Amino acid sequence: MSFRTHLEEVCRQVEGAVACSVMGFDGIAIETHEVKSPEVDLQAMLVEFSNILGQIRNAAELLATGEVSEVSINTEKLMTISRLVSKDYFMVLALLPDGNYGRGRYALRLATPKVRAEL
Amino acid sequence: MSFRTHLEEVCRQVEGAVACSVMGFDGIAIETHEVKSPEVDLQAMLVEFSNILGQIRNAAELLATGEVSEVSINTEKLMTISRLVSKDYFMVLALLPDGNYGRGRYALRLATPKVRAEL
């Protein structure tokens, strides 16, 4: 099973899903499955996101709050939920603002170990 | 009604709440209501958080994703949910990892306009 299958599965399970991606903290996507065209520049957003997530990860280490499990950034046009896959990679799910946020968190929580197993 | 009353109300409504705060993006808390002592350095975390949230706000402007409505950063020891109050201030709720996350989001969404009205 490739990454793509897991990403497709997440998008299929979550109402309002826009895209699901496995990304490196360097801002380079390993694999992205896009199901809707959002109003925003998704690629630029993911790059910016990986930068911010990297900083959050570093801050969490510094503050000894334990490993970052989930980060969610919601704006007027897009909601995003992300989870760490490994120290170098994370998964991110983008949703429409009226998408099913709770379902998105759940689907991503289930998918992360599956993707981790394939890294 | 002061800020504190709103912060107390949020903490009372949410199972597992640790603290609720109104903060500036400069990292200075206007008011904090703390109900539990978390395992982490809460003050240091809030300062770091305000810095990261400021960057997210700037990135959202740059990428035209619309205003940031909510940011959530969850680690092994603490979950945090934050919402913008104005362009200079935000509210943040810290919860234990087994706290009621959904209820936290809801309580914070209701409290934000009340705090905004008093700024």
Side-chain angles (χ1 to χ4, degrees):
Chain A
M1 204 190 215
S2 74
F3 288 148
R4 176 162 285 276
T5 321
H6 298 305
L7 304 182
E8 284 170 2
E9 202 179 327
V10 170
C11 288
R12 201 171 40 239
Q13 286 173 349
V14 184
E15 204 183 324
V18 164
C20 191
S21 189
V22 180
M23 303 237 356
F25 281 106
D26 55 5
I28 298 170
I30 304 185
E31 185 87 65
T32 298
H33 178 63
E34 215 173 317
V35 283
K36 282 189 183 76
S37 283
E39 274 183 69
V40 304
D41 182 341
L42 193 69
Q43 290 314 313
M45 203 207 66
L46 289 177
V47 171
E48 197 63 44
F49 199 92
S50 64
N51 179 32
I52 287 165
L53 207 60
Q55 287 180 50
I56 291 172
R57 185 190 55 170
N58 295 345
E61 257 177 49
L62 201 74
L63 298 168
T65 61
E67 196 166 282
V68 176
S69 52
E70 187 188 78
V71 175
S72 174
I73 300 178
N74 302 336
T75 69
E76 283 169 337
K77 292 184 189 169
L78 206 66
M79 300 196 290
T80 61
I81 307 164
S82 68
R83 291 187 79 87
L84 260 67
V85 176
S86 72
K87 70 178 183 53
D88 297 317
Y89 300 102
F90 63 95
M91 282 186 80
V92 55
L93 170 65
L95 298 165
L96 295 177
D98 59 355
N100 193 334
Y101 182 79
R103 181 78 188 162
R105 289 184 75 211
Y106 177 74
L108 207 62
R109 190 162 59 225
L110 292 191
T112 310
K114 295 180 192 166
V115 169
R116 186 180 298 129
E118 297 197 26
L119 272 177
Chain B
M1 205 190 216
S2 75
F3 287 148
R4 177 163 284 275
T5 321
H6 298 306
L7 304 183
E8 285 171 1
E9 202 179 327
V10 170
C11 289
R12 199 169 42 238
Q13 286 172 350
V14 183
E15 205 184 323
V18 166
C20 191
S21 189
V22 180
M23 303 241 350
F25 280 105
D26 54 6
I28 298 169
I30 303 185
E31 185 87 64
T32 298
H33 178 62
E34 216 173 316
V35 283
K36 281 189 186 74
S37 284
E39 276 183 67
V40 304
D41 183 343
L42 192 70
Q43 291 313 313
M45 205 209 65
L46 289 177
V47 170
E48 197 63 42
F49 198 93
S50 65
N51 178 31
I52 287 165
L53 206 62
Q55 286 181 50
I56 292 173
R57 185 191 55 171
N58 295 345
E61 256 177 49
L62 201 73
L63 298 167
T65 60
E67 196 166 283
V68 176
S69 51
E70 186 189 78
V71 174
S72 175
I73 300 177
N74 302 337
T75 70
E76 284 169 336
K77 293 187 189 167
L78 206 66
M79 301 196 289
T80 60
I81 307 165
S82 68
R83 293 187 77 87
L84 259 67
V85 175
S86 73
K87 70 178 181 56
D88 297 315
Y89 299 102
F90 63 96
M91 281 186 81
V92 55
L93 170 65
L95 297 166
L96 294 178
D98 60 353
N100 193 333
Y101 182 79
R103 181 78 187 162
R105 290 185 74 210
Y106 177 74
L108 207 62
R109 191 162 59 227
L110 292 190
T112 310
K114 294 179 193 167
V115 169
R116 187 181 297 128
E118 297 196 27
L119 273 176

